[in-house]
Structures are given as structure tokens and as C-alpha cells.
Amino acid sequence: MPDLPTSKPALAGKAPLQGVQFAVEALPEGHLLQLMGPTTLDELRALFDTFGLGGSVIRAAGFRQWYVMGEAPLEPAALRGIAGALPRGVFLSDQSHGRVRIRVSGPRAAQVLARGTAVDLHGSQFPAGAAAMTLFGHIPVHLSRTGEAEFELTVLRSFAEALFGELEPFAA
Amino acid sequence: MASLITCPHCGQRPKEEFTIKGDAGLTRPAPDADADVWYDYVYLRDNPKGLHKEYWHHSSGCRRWLIVERDTVTHKVHSVADAALAELGGAA
Ligand SMILES: [Zn+2]
């Protein structure tokens, strides 16, 4: 039926852009789980490994908060299994359809991001593996450095197009 | 206005990442307290010159509630603590 809403990625149709020393690319909408509570990165890593999600990345997102992200969608049964195995006092919110990941890379990546965030992106302050919740302009983002010249931005779905649009000109 | 706040969890961030939520020195009255007492609590505020404790919510960061002690004359920030952890007696 043509009047039924169809599910499509928030950044569907946005091709990866490669500019001069800067590239921006929408990542697949796989799974993205938010976890909160008194646990540790090691404990979460072990838990997700037992559910066959060793390939998912776990990134700090503030005091006692983490994002678990991966490129493959999670079946509802797998999600229920994880939710049932969480340590006491730890809670999970499935954000797989609520947040979108964007990768930016290239020698100019840190310089472009510095126009939007106040986080000090110098390698000595924000090395590969570092992550922060912050603002890019007026848009709240989770920013992580995945390599010396590679970053990921996680953004609320409704802001994804606006954020991508702000980064596009730098990759022109 | 203090323009840089050092969040105990996130480090130094600009005030744009925070939402100021008012005087942290108020005590909520008992549910059956006089209407005058409630009126005072809900609507009336001091406008202190000098040291002042306020709730700041790191709304575009870690989303923790903080207590910022700052000087309204010099703009100097004296301390920033996680409100919930301070209440529980733990270090921020
Ligand atoms: Zn913070």
C-alpha cells in the first residue's frame, strides 16, 4: 500500500563524499545500544562477547554510560537476551533506530571538527580511542576518535541530515 | 557569567553545553507547609553578589547534574561537583 510509511535509513541516498584531505560517510544503521549503570568497560566487553558481539565497539558516553555499536542489526531475541543478562542496576535502551553514525576522516578531519566542538582534539588530549558527548554547533553528538585521522559522530536520527549537511561542504 | 565550566566527568567545556537550573541552596518545604512558604520557595529568589551555588545540568554532555560554586562579581568558578555523588557523600 503506497500510503504506509516505509523504513529507510535516515541518510539514505547520501553517497560517501571524498574531498581534499577530508571525507564524510554515513555508516550502516546496524545496532546501537545505550547502557547506563554501575558497571565497567571490561564487564560489558565480556558480556557482549558471550553474545557473539565481539565485533561491536563499546564506547564511553559519560559517567556510567556507554554506547555499544555495530554494523549488523540485532534480532529482538538477541536484544532480550542481553537485557536479561545485564549486571544488577544496569539498564539498556535500544537506540538502533534512534541514532545514526557518521564517519569523518582525512588529515583535515580534526580541523573541520574543531569548528563545531569545544573539545580539544589535539592528539595529546583526545587520542585514538577517546570519546566524548559534546555539541557540534547546536547539535548534540557523541564524538569518538577511531584513528589518528578518523572520527565517528553519533547523532540523534532527526539531526542526522542537518549534521551531514554541515559536514558536506568540507568534503566538496 | 562563567563561560568555561570544568565538568568532573567531561573536563573543561563551554557554557553552551550546560543548562543552568537555579539556586542549589534551596530546601524544599514540607508538603503541608504554609502557602507563603511555598510561594517563597517557588517564586522568590535572592540575587547574591559574590559566592553563589547553582545547579548546572550538563545537558549537551554527560547529562549529569552538577553543583557549580561561582562568584557573580569576579566570574571565578570555585568548585564544580556532581550533585548526586555529593549528596551520597562520594567524590565527584
Ligand atoms: Zn559532563
Side-chain angles (χ1 to χ4, degrees), chain A residues 84-134:
Chain A
L86 293 173
R88 187 182 160 81
V90 178
F91 298 91
L92 180 156
S93 167
D94 181 14
Q95 297 284 306
S96 303
H97 305 98
R99 288 170 203 258
V100 174
R101 295 158 75 195
I102 297 171
R103 176 186 294 144
V104 301
S105 57
R108 277 175 64 226
Q111 195 189 325
V112 169
L113 292 175
R115 297 170 73 105
T117 178
V119 172
D120 185 349
L121 299 178
H122 190 276
S124 64
Q125 300 299 309
F126 200 77
M133 296 292 299
T134 183

Side-chain angles (χ1 to χ4, degrees), chain A residues 38-56:
Chain A
T39 181
T40 61
L41 186 63
D42 289 345
E43 193 175 38
L44 290 176
R45 182 74 272 167
L47 175 76
F48 280 87
D49 285 354
T50 63
F51 280 90
L53 293 171
S56 304

